[in-house]
Amino acid sequence: MVFSSLFCLYLFLPICIFVYFLRPSVSYRNRVLVIFSVLFYAWGEPVYVLVLLFSALMNYMFGRLIGGSAERRRAKVLLALSVALNLGLLGYFKYIGFLVENLNHLGLSLKAPSVALPIGISFYTFQTLSYVVDVYRGQVAVQNSYRDFLLYVSLFPQLIAGPIVRYSEIEPQISARQVNLSSIFYGVTRFCIGLGKKVLIANYAGRIASQMLDGDLAALTTAGAWLGILMFTFQLYFDFSGYSDMAIGLGRVFGFRYSENFDLPYISKSITEFWRRWHISLSSFFRDYVYIPLGGKKRRQALNMLVVWLLTGLWHGASWNFVLWGLYFFVLLFIEKHISSVLARVPDILRQFSTFFLVVMGWTLFYCTDLSRLGATFGVLFGRHGAGLTSAAMGITLKNNLPLLLICILGSTQLPRFVGMVFGGLCADRRGEHKKRKIYICVTYAFDLFLLALATISLVGSSFNPFLYFRF
């Protein structure tokens, strides 16, 4: 099930919220969320809900065993076994086909098992891993209730596509949390903004990207290729950040506070800054659970960075283009660290444009899973292949899609946030405070309803509604 479906918007979520608020008991509400979270996951993949339940049970048991172990050596063995089983489970479902395919290229004749990828497995595997490691480190207390641990793992607002939530972030909220009208108001607005980003921007940008990049590259003009990859660049951002907004908003409705996952990454002045703003929960996971334990900056920094970016690439998909994508960003970050003093003297506007250009090149690697097609796509982008620079038909296409492109560009900047802050500041003026507060609430509700109505109309009239990060 996806948030941006009519069934979820108008049936699943209203019923879940209604049942959730029937009683104020936290224990009751936790049971409600566990039931609805399992139903949410099972709606699309009823078989693979067993994998989710098994993963939760396995890590719950490891947490108790490690937390109850008086011997450090025994705890370390249990931790190693837990990590191996978690990565083995993830590896089987996500990478077995890729492994067999590459072994066959070496001369073997293996038959790859027919295994579908359980949606969200990368996200909840990283969550359970972080819990077991933090228990071993003594940074969190052992969760003695399997139901409450299952709630942490399966909580449906962030189950499918993140953000990756660490147990330490919501441990106190599982047993005690407060929900008031202010948090519900904020959560609903944040959800509607995310829905609008997903349905009204990402879907339309994605349709154009698909039209440009998925057809015959020999018939594609250079202008068309750039339009396509730019639209994919914005689709990826508005799709994933929109889902994160919806997850954060729904979490707030239920009383949970999730950390931000995106912070306007396309205005970054360096690749380092970009990765501090993009998919923050994943970047911080690799930093705290891979990079620093390997030695961080203290020893073998280059090797540690290489390992992290190879794993980051593979985390995104079982394909060589993702490996290249990870290596690409490793090289950029490695170079950047050695010329930081030179870059500091470059004007900010040039650094922003060059960073954005390099990120777009990275998303080209990300988009093309077929390496031969990847090379051809770069050839069209830089005028070596394809149907020339532009055409009359392409000129019309560019003109028709210019408004959407401008919306994507402006929506990726600080402008929407600035407008919201100005409006909120005006309504927070002490003079006529009560009246302005009422205006603020009325205008915000009207804005929410407007976004919901537009999204509903769009969903009714179109079947194009992919969630890119579901495959991870």
Side-chain angles (χ1 to χ4, degrees):
M1 192 186 303
V2 297
F3 293 151
S4 59
S5 68
L6 297 176
F7 177 84
C8 183
L9 289 173
Y10 290 104
L11 193 61
F12 180 85
L13 287 180
I15 293 175
C16 177
I17 293 171
F18 174 76
V19 175
Y20 180 82
F21 285 106
L22 280 177
R23 291 172 59 184
S25 166
V26 173
S27 178
Y28 164 80
R29 291 179 172 180
N30 285 351
R31 289 196 298 271
V32 169
L33 286 178
V34 167
I35 292 169
F36 276 89
S37 294
V38 172
L39 288 174
F40 182 89
Y41 193 85
W43 185 263
E45 299 193 347
V47 174
Y48 288 119
V49 73
L50 298 176
V51 178
L52 172 68
L53 296 174
F54 171 75
S55 176
L57 179 60
M58 177 179 69
N59 287 283
Y60 165 75
M61 294 301 299
F62 271 115
R64 296 199 63 175
L65 290 171
I66 292 171
S69 177
E71 297 181 15
R72 194 64 175 172
R73 180 179 297 179
R74 180 172 180 268
K76 185 176 290 188
V77 171
L78 289 168
L79 174 65
L81 182 58
S82 169
V83 171
L85 289 174
N86 276 286
L87 295 181
L89 191 68
L90 177 62
Y92 174 74
F93 284 104
K94 192 167 184 175
Y95 302 106
I96 188 65
F98 179 65
L99 177 63
V100 170
E101 178 185 345
N102 284 278
L103 288 175
N104 287 340
H105 286 320
L106 297 176
L108 300 179
S109 298
L110 304 175
K111 183 179 180 181
S114 179
V115 180
L117 178 65
I119 57 176
I121 189 172
S122 297
F123 289 95
Y124 69 72
T125 298
F126 274 24
Q127 288 194 185
T128 54
L129 273 173
S130 70
Y131 165 76
V132 175
V133 172
D134 286 350
V135 168
Y136 172 78
R137 292 173 174 175
Q139 295 176 347
V140 298
V142 175
Q143 175 55 257
N144 291 313
S145 167
Y146 173 67
R147 185 198 66 197
D148 287 347
F149 184 73
L150 180 60
L151 172 66
Y152 159 66
V153 175
S154 67
L155 197 56
F156 76 86
Q158 43 73 223
L159 170 63
I160 303 298
I164 299 169
V165 178
R166 301 191 195 182
Y167 182 72
S168 57
E169 294 178 28
I170 65 168
E171 176 186 14
Q173 302 172 48
I174 291 175
S175 56
R177 58 186 181 274
Q178 297 294 325
V179 183
N180 53 41
L181 289 177
S182 179
S183 65
I184 294 173
F185 176 75
Y186 173 85
V188 169
T189 299
R190 188 70 182 268
F191 179 87
C192 289
I193 289 172
L195 181 67
K197 288 166 71 173
K198 161 62 186 161
V199 175
L200 303 177
I201 301 180
N203 282 1
Y204 288 95
R207 185 183 293 112
I208 296 166
S210 181
Q211 289 172 355
M212 295 295 109
L213 301 176
D214 291 347
D216 182 8
L217 292 178
L220 181 63
T221 64
T222 296
W226 278 103
L227 175 63
I229 200 60
L230 283 174
M231 284 301 185
F232 175 68
T233 295
F234 289 116
Q235 178 199 9
L236 200 59
Y237 170 64
F238 286 105
D239 184 284
F240 195 17
S241 70
Y243 191 97
S244 293
D245 286 335
M246 287 187 276
I248 291 169
L250 271 181
R252 189 66 68 88
V253 169
F254 296 126
F256 292 96
R257 290 177 176 266
Y258 299 142
S259 299
E260 296 295 332
N261 208 23
F262 288 86
D263 184 20
L264 303 176
Y266 289 159
I267 67 169
S268 301
K269 301 181 187 68
S270 67
I271 298 299
T272 301
E273 182 184 355
F274 173 80
W275 282 106
R276 289 174 182 157
R277 292 172 173 267
W278 178 278
H279 203 344
I280 299 168
S281 62
L282 180 67
S283 300
S284 63
F285 178 93
F286 276 114
R287 180 196 65 209
D288 294 342
Y289 296 100
V290 180
Y291 180 67
I292 292 176
L294 286 175
K297 298 178 181 179
K298 297 179 180 178
R299 62 179 187 275
R300 304 188 305 271
Q301 184 182 16
L303 178 61
N304 298 338
M305 290 174 59
L306 176 62
V307 171
V308 165
W309 283 100
L310 282 174
L311 292 176
T312 302
L314 282 172
W315 182 87
H316 282 87
S319 178
W320 282 110
N321 71 297
F322 293 116
V323 176
L324 290 175
W325 177 81
L327 289 173
Y328 170 78
F329 277 107
F330 159 70
V331 171
L332 291 180
L333 288 165
F334 183 78
I335 293 173
E336 198 171 83
K337 286 183 180 297
H338 288 79
I339 61 170
S340 57
S341 59
V342 176
L343 292 175
R345 296 194 291 269
V346 178
D348 286 353
I349 188 68
L350 291 179
R351 292 174 63 191
Q352 284 181 313
F353 274 110
S354 60
T355 299
F356 183 72
F357 172 79
L358 292 172
V359 168
V360 171
M361 293 296 96
W363 292 143
T364 307
L365 290 170
F366 198 89
Y367 187 87
C368 302
T369 56
D370 182 276
L371 294 186
S372 61
R373 191 172 180 87
L374 172 63
T377 301
F378 274 114
V380 178
L381 282 170
F382 294 100
R384 297 194 62 184
H385 305 298
L389 181 63
T390 189
S391 65
M394 191 64 237
I396 296 173
T397 300
L398 288 170
K399 182 179 178 181
N400 291 340
N401 290 297
L402 184 59
L404 177 60
L405 187 58
L406 289 174
I407 290 172
C408 289
I409 293 171
L410 293 176
S412 303
T413 67
Q414 294 172 318
L415 181 62
R417 187 177 294 180
F418 175 76
V419 172
M421 290 175 61
V422 170
F423 177 64
L426 290 174
C427 293
D429 194 317
R430 291 185 179 276
R431 293 169 295 179
E433 183 176 340
H434 180 67
K435 183 178 180 180
K436 289 183 177 181
R437 179 64 179 170
K438 288 177 65 176
I439 293 174
Y440 174 77
I441 292 173
C442 290
V443 171
T444 304
Y445 270 131
F447 178 68
D448 294 345
L449 290 173
F450 177 70
L451 286 178
L452 181 60
L454 287 182
T456 301
I457 293 169
S458 180
L459 290 171
V460 169
S462 174
S463 60
F464 187 85
N465 188 32
F467 255 124
L468 298 182
Y469 268 72
F470 273 21
R471 66 187 182 189
F472 307 135

